[in-house]
């Protein structure tokens, strides 16, 4: 039996549609020029074209060709904008965290962790990242205080600043983060009291610091390991406070 021309036309049209849909689903958007310029500054900060970020090449597209970078894939204002920067752990980066990261307005997921030669303070420019919900700067060699403005980023859900050399207090502004689900500032040199934290919190670790005072009632549901090895933190689940 011969196949009708109409059936062939329908078949080819269907294949064409599938090709278009598949292509649109897998093609990377073109990288935003402003975001690319920012990341090239970051590359130069971390050793330049021949450094650890050597594949961040001005002649290639940052959305499709650069490691550690992700872009918005959906149509709209975020299309082609850098929304993810996740460096591999122990990648060998050294130096301070560039303030340029604060000039990526759509950055929502940022990890720069486990690079022992990353030093200096947490740049206040990160407090400009209004879309940021995941921040992991753990296991570096950062010093100085936690910027209180950091916790004015209302979308923050995950904050990991553990295993650095941070000092000063845990800013009370963290109490205002209603969506916070994970908070880890363990193994630092933090002092003062432990502020109240969101009821949405699922994971907490403030151990191995120099915190003092009573553990807030809303945090007593966490186990001892979340609070151990502090200077004089007290109250359930630790020993009773004696004032």
């Amino acid at each position: 039996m011969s196949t009708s021309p109409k059936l062939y036309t329908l078949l080819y049209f269907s294949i064409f549609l599938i090709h278009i849909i598949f292509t649109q689903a897998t093609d990377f958007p073109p990288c935003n020029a402003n975001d690319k310029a920012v990341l090239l500054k970051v590359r130069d900060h971390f050793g330049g074209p021949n450094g650890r970020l050597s594949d961040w090449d001005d002649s290639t597209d940052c959305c499709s060709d650069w490691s550690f970078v992700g872009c918005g894939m959906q149509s709209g204002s975020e299309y082609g904008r850098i929304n993810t920067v996740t460096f591999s752990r122990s990648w060998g980066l050294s130096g301070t965290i560039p303030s340029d990261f604060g000039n990526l307005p759509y950055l929502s997921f940022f990890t720069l962790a486990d690079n022992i030669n990353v030093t200096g303070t947490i740049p206040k420019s990160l407090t400009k990242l209004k879309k940021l919900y995941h921040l992991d700067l753990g296991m570096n060699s950062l010093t100085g205080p936690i910027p209180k403005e950091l916790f004015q980023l209302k979308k923050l859900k995950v904050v990991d600043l553990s295993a650095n050399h941070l000092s000063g207090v845990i800013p009370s502004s963290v109490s205002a983060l209603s969506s916070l689900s994970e908070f880890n500032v363990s193994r630092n040199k933090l002092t003062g009291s432990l502020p109240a934290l969101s009821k949405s919190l699922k994971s907490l670790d403030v151990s191995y610091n120099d915190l003092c005072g009573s553990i807030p009632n809303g945090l007593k549901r966490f186990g001892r390991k979340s609070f151990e090895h502090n200077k004089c933190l007290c109250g359930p689940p630790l020993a009773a406070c004696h004032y």
Side-chain angles (χ1 to χ4, degrees):
M1 181 184 297
S2 62
T3 306
S4 70
K6 287 186 177 180
L7 186 58
Y8 272 123
T9 301
L10 180 61
L11 178 61
Y12 283 121
F13 183 71
S14 299
I15 294 172
F16 176 75
L17 282 180
I18 291 171
H19 171 75
I20 292 296
I21 292 171
F22 180 80
T23 300
Q24 289 179 341
T26 55
D27 276 3
F28 289 95
C31 181
N32 177 271
N34 291 333
D35 291 352
K36 185 175 185 177
V38 169
L39 289 183
L40 286 173
K41 290 181 180 179
V42 171
R43 180 203 65 182
D44 292 344
H45 181 93
F46 284 130
N50 298 317
R52 296 298 293 159
L53 302 176
S54 58
D55 69 329
W56 289 17
D57 191 324
D58 190 24
S59 64
T60 59
D61 189 90
C62 60
C63 288
S64 59
D65 300 322
W66 293 13
S67 56
F68 315 129
V69 173
C71 297
M73 300 292 288
Q74 303 298 322
S75 61
S77 60
E78 297 192 25
Y79 185 71
R81 303 305 300 262
I82 301 297
N83 58 18
T84 304
V85 176
T86 305
F87 292 107
S88 293
R89 292 180 177 272
S90 302
W91 188 244
L93 298 178
S94 61
T96 59
I97 298 176
S99 61
D100 301 283
F101 282 115
N103 295 322
L104 296 171
Y106 291 91
L107 187 61
S108 59
F109 195 105
F110 181 40
T111 296
L112 198 173
D114 195 11
N115 284 270
I116 196 170
N117 292 318
V118 170
T119 59
T121 59
I122 299 173
K124 288 189 176 181
S125 62
L126 297 185
T127 64
K128 298 190 295 181
L129 301 175
K130 303 302 182 184
K131 295 183 179 292
L132 191 66
Y133 72 85
H134 180 108
L135 177 64
D136 183 359
L137 302 178
M139 300 181 68
N140 293 309
S141 295
L142 301 176
T143 55
I146 301 172
K148 62 181 180 180
E149 298 87 355
L150 186 65
F151 300 124
Q152 294 175 5
L153 300 177
K154 301 302 183 184
K155 293 189 176 183
L156 275 177
K157 293 183 178 181
V158 176
V159 176
D160 189 342
L161 307 175
S162 63
N164 281 286
H165 307 292
L166 300 173
S167 58
V169 302
I170 299 175
S172 59
S173 53
V174 70
S175 301
L177 285 181
S178 59
S179 60
L180 189 65
S181 62
E182 297 180 30
F183 187 63
N184 189 348
V185 292
S186 63
R187 299 182 183 275
N188 280 290
K189 301 176 182 180
L190 299 171
T191 57
S193 59
L194 177 59
L197 294 168
S198 170
K199 293 180 180 179
S200 65
L201 200 66
K202 300 293 189 295
S203 175
L204 173 67
D205 195 347
V206 297
S207 61
Y208 291 90
N209 279 291
D210 292 317
L211 300 174
C212 276
S214 179
I215 295 173
N217 287 332
L219 301 180
K220 294 178 179 180
R221 68 185 187 276
F222 293 101
R224 292 179 58 87
K225 288 184 178 180
S226 294
F227 308 102
E228 288 180 328
H229 302 286
N230 274 286
K231 184 177 181 180
C232 46
L233 204 58
C234 60
L238 300 180
C241 297
H242 300 287
Y243 297 124

